[in-house]
Amino acid sequence: MKPKAMHRKRFNSYNAALLPYSIWALLFILIPLIFVAYYAFTDNEFNFTTENIARFFNTIGQIRDDSGNVSEIRTYLVIFMRSLKLAIMSTLVCLIMGYPIAYIMARAPERTQKMMMTLIMIPMWMNFLIRTYAWMTILQDKGILNNILQMFGLNPVHIIGTEAAVLIGMVYDYLPYMVLPIFSIMAKMDDKLLEAARDLGCGSIAVLRRVIFPLSLPGVVSGITMVLIPSISTFYISQKLGNGNFFLIGDAIEGQYVAGNFHFAAAMAFILMAILLVFMALIKYITARYLYGGENNA
């Protein structure tokens, strides 16, 4: 067979394998995003407008501090910043917890790897609502956690309805999305590289810093992306574990949608999507420079 014919056959096979995903992406990703953008930039009469976008940035609300003083805030910007703060915190906690777990899994025997993988995946097989209600039972004032503390003669703690409870729920739900990408990279890491680093005089910390972490960086970036994006737009966790005390951007979008304000809800979703795309592009750019030696050329 001629080289051109072989290349054409390989190209056709590649397109055939790519076709199902392309159709899926078109129907369930691209077209819904187009509808979100269309609703975001139209009014109830479906005339073009930027009022919905401006409303997100210009809506003014009032807040009262502990002293009784009232101050004005840009409501949705404050909600977004609170959502971003909790999302970043949950992502960092997932990274700090998930990286050692992924490393231990990658270095463990195959049988131990399967057992640890099963333990990580089992919670994901349960319904999201059931997992959230389970944490409500654990963290409430008369819940399992405080009962255990009282058994040991310790004072109960108030967690439910606080940022800590929301953070715990987010970390619990999204930790597997941090562990699995990092583990998939570390599991493919050549042990000879680690042996060579030790032979050249690197200690355990130096091997981790100079070899393991740079090689695992693509998995870290994937994990950060997979945790940050859903956590910044979450809403059910904040409603149940936060007792409605912490109104996040996902709650705001849901509230506008339930109220029938589809265009403003779409505008908030569009702004959130645009901000996340900028974050992802920035992370990709910084990572590419680091992985391909950009910082040495700076």
Side-chain angles (χ1 to χ4, degrees), residues 247-272:
F247 203 63
L248 303 183
I249 193 66
D251 301 312
I253 295 173
E254 184 206 23
Q256 294 296 328
Y257 181 83
V258 172
N261 300 325
F262 303 124
H263 296 273
F264 185 47
M268 287 193 288
F270 180 82
I271 293 171
L272 180 61

Side-chain angles (χ1 to χ4, degrees), residues 285 288-298:
Y285 173 76
R289 284 180 59 87
Y290 181 82
L291 287 178
Y292 295 104
E295 65 177 10
N296 294 330
N297 300 326

Side-chain angles (χ1 to χ4, degrees), residues 10-292:
R10 191 180 301 112
F11 182 76
N12 292 335
S13 301
Y14 174 79
N15 287 341
L18 191 61
L19 183 62
Y21 173 77
S22 301
I23 295 174
W24 176 275
L26 177 66
L27 293 177
F28 299 104
I29 299 178
L30 183 59
I31 292 178
L33 291 180
I34 293 174
F35 272 100
V36 169
Y38 176 70
Y39 269 77
F41 288 97
T42 56
D43 56 19
N44 291 331
E45 303 297 328
F46 293 98
N47 298 315
F48 177 79
T49 181
T50 58
E51 181 181 351
N52 298 317
I53 304 296
R55 180 180 172 185
F56 177 86
F57 294 99
N58 298 329
T59 299
I60 302 297
Q62 292 184 338
I63 186 172
R64 187 183 301 273
D65 59 22
D66 296 336
S67 303
N69 300 320
V70 177
S71 58
E72 293 185 344
I73 59 171
R74 294 187 182 274
T75 308
Y76 294 107
L77 285 179
V78 172
I79 294 173
F80 172 75
M81 294 307 297
R82 183 188 302 132
S83 303
L84 180 61
K85 181 187 73 171
L86 286 174
I88 292 175
M89 291 172 62
S90 65
T91 303
L92 289 176
V93 174
C94 285
L95 179 60
I96 293 171
M97 294 177 59
Y99 196 91
I101 294 174
Y103 178 78
I104 293 171
M105 287 177 59
R107 300 295 100 190
E110 184 177 353
R111 184 175 180 180
T112 305
Q113 284 184 5
K114 292 180 180 179
M115 182 186 68
M116 295 182 68
M117 181 70 71
T118 302
L119 292 175
I120 291 174
M121 295 295 294
I122 282 177
M124 300 178 67
W125 300 343
M126 293 187 294
N127 186 275
F128 182 81
L129 305 183
I130 295 176
R131 285 181 281 162
T132 304
Y133 273 104
W135 274 107
M136 290 175 61
T137 305
I138 294 172
L139 298 178
Q140 62 187 354
D141 292 340
K142 296 183 179 179
I144 297 174
L145 177 62
N146 282 327
N147 288 337
I148 294 175
L149 292 176
Q150 289 177 342
M151 286 174 56
F152 290 96
L154 301 174
N155 294 326
V157 293
H158 175 69
I159 301 179
I160 197 75
T162 65
E163 283 190 355
V166 177
L167 185 63
I168 290 171
M170 293 168 69
V171 169
Y172 173 77
D173 282 313
Y174 301 128
L175 181 61
Y177 298 106
M178 181 66 72
V179 174
L180 298 180
I182 300 175
F183 166 74
S184 65
I185 296 294
M186 286 187 172
K188 301 174 185 177
M189 201 174 295
D190 192 348
D191 291 338
K192 294 179 181 179
L193 295 174
L194 308 184
E195 295 174 3
R198 293 190 179 96
D199 290 341
L200 293 172
C202 288
S204 300
I205 301 299
V207 170
L208 176 63
R209 184 172 62 88
R210 294 178 178 272
V211 181
I212 297 176
F213 183 74
L215 292 177
S216 64
L217 195 57
V220 172
V221 174
S222 297
I224 290 174
T225 304
M226 294 177 67
V227 173
L228 182 65
I229 291 177
S231 60
I232 199 174
S233 57
T234 189
F235 62 94
Y236 194 78
I237 296 174
S238 58
Q239 291 177 7
K240 297 303 178 183
L241 298 183
N243 279 350
N245 297 328
F246 298 96
F247 203 63
L248 303 183
I249 193 66
D251 301 312
I253 295 173
E254 184 206 23
Q256 294 296 328
Y257 181 83
V258 172
N261 300 325
F262 303 124
H263 296 273
F264 185 47
M268 287 193 288
F270 180 82
I271 293 171
L272 180 61
M273 177 181 65
I275 293 173
L276 289 175
L277 288 175
V278 171
F279 276 144
M280 290 174 62
L282 183 61
I283 291 173
K284 183 178 179 181
Y285 173 76
I286 294 174
T287 305
R289 284 180 59 87
Y290 181 82
L291 287 178
Y292 295 104

